[in-house]
Amino acid sequence: MKTVKRLITAALLITAVYFPINAQQNMKNVLNPRQQNIAAIACLEAKGDLEKLSGAIHAGLDEGLTVNEIKEALSHLYAYTGFPRSLNGLGVLQQVLADRKAKGITDKEGKDSDPLPKDFDALKEGTAIQTKLSGAPFNYTFAPATDHYLKAHLFGDIFARNNLTFSERELVTVSALSGIKGVEPQLKSHVRGAKNMGVTDAEIHSIPDVL
């Protein structure tokens, strides 16, 4: 995890000109158990380590994560790690739940996302959310179709699901990207995005310790 720590630290240094870092806060892990389990599950899904992912899901459920929170985190990640990794992760969750049920363990289902209003405009809402995350209007004119998918689907349809907060989704995303080689530009971008969505410097610095 030394590489992960270097990457996250580098990403934070890049954003420090906009968001000053409190060095004293960064000396300790400030993520609560819920955040720690979400981060571990996201990273292991991205790495494709299904055996350790199973253990992390067990731990998360034992420490209070709901089924729908884990399900939502794994579903959210298909936009960053691809459907294969996401579906594998959901399959592991299904198996874990079956094993726990066989042992007489009843896990809390938790809140599902509220239905979207009939007049929901995914492109409009997604553009606003992407702008907030990026800190400025963002248009990927080189590939207009991809630009539309990002705004209308990822930041519109997916981020509109309110059983995870925006800051939790960015914690999931940063943790997952930390487990993938070769995506440093995206990791740096989402470190900035996480901060714009309310994740603190100290919380971001804590991710490598959790992983």
Side-chain angles (χ1 to χ4, degrees):
M1 284 294 112
K2 289 183 179 179
T3 300
V4 172
K5 185 169 287 189
R6 285 198 299 270
L7 289 173
I8 289 179
T9 300
L12 278 166
L13 288 173
I14 288 172
T15 59
V17 65
Y18 302 106
F19 304 94
I21 296 174
N22 184 328
Q24 290 182 337
Q25 282 184 320
N26 295 332
M27 296 303 292
K28 60 182 180 179
N29 183 354
V30 301
L31 294 176
N32 62 43
R34 184 173 177 279
Q35 293 171 313
Q36 291 179 40
N37 283 303
I38 287 176
I41 288 169
C43 185
L44 291 167
E45 184 270 7
K47 291 171 69 68
D49 190 334
L50 303 186
E51 182 177 352
K52 289 184 180 178
L53 176 61
S54 177
I57 291 174
H58 274 289
L61 291 168
D62 288 340
E63 296 187 18
L65 281 179
T66 69
V67 174
N68 278 333
E69 286 171 335
I70 298 174
K71 188 185 298 183
E72 189 67 26
L74 294 171
S75 297
H76 168 92
L77 283 177
Y78 96 82
Y80 298 96
T81 65
F83 268 122
R85 290 268 196 264
S86 177
L87 292 173
N88 285 347
L90 289 166
V92 171
L93 173 59
Q94 283 182 291
Q95 185 60 55
V96 167
L97 293 173
D99 292 344
R100 292 168 71 88
K101 184 177 181 180
K103 294 176 182 177
I105 301 172
T106 301
D107 292 301
K108 187 176 179 181
E109 195 70 19
K111 179 183 179 294
D112 199 357
S113 173
D114 293 331
L116 296 176
K118 292 182 180 179
D119 61 348
F120 179 72
D121 187 330
L123 180 59
K124 179 181 178 181
E125 294 297 325
T127 299
I129 292 170
Q130 187 187 47
T131 299
K132 180 180 179 182
L133 186 142
S134 301
F138 180 89
N139 289 291
Y140 194 40
T141 54
F142 174 73
T146 298
D147 186 62
H148 180 84
Y149 299 152
L150 287 169
K151 289 184 170 73
H153 182 53
L154 172 55
F155 296 108
D157 295 328
I158 296 178
F159 269 69
R161 293 179 56 80
N162 63 357
N163 52 345
L164 288 180
T165 66
F166 292 167
S167 62
E168 287 170 341
R169 290 185 183 278
E170 282 305 292
L171 176 64
V172 167
T173 303
V174 170
S175 300
L177 293 177
S178 297
I180 305 174
K181 293 181 179 180
V183 295
E184 289 80 5
Q186 289 75 27
L187 176 59
K188 292 175 183 177
S189 175
H190 278 281
V191 165
R192 291 193 297 268
K195 292 161 70 64
N196 287 335
M197 291 302 188
V199 183
T200 68
D201 291 322
E203 287 171 337
I204 294 172
H205 269 294
S206 296
I207 292 174
D209 292 330
V210 174
L211 303 185

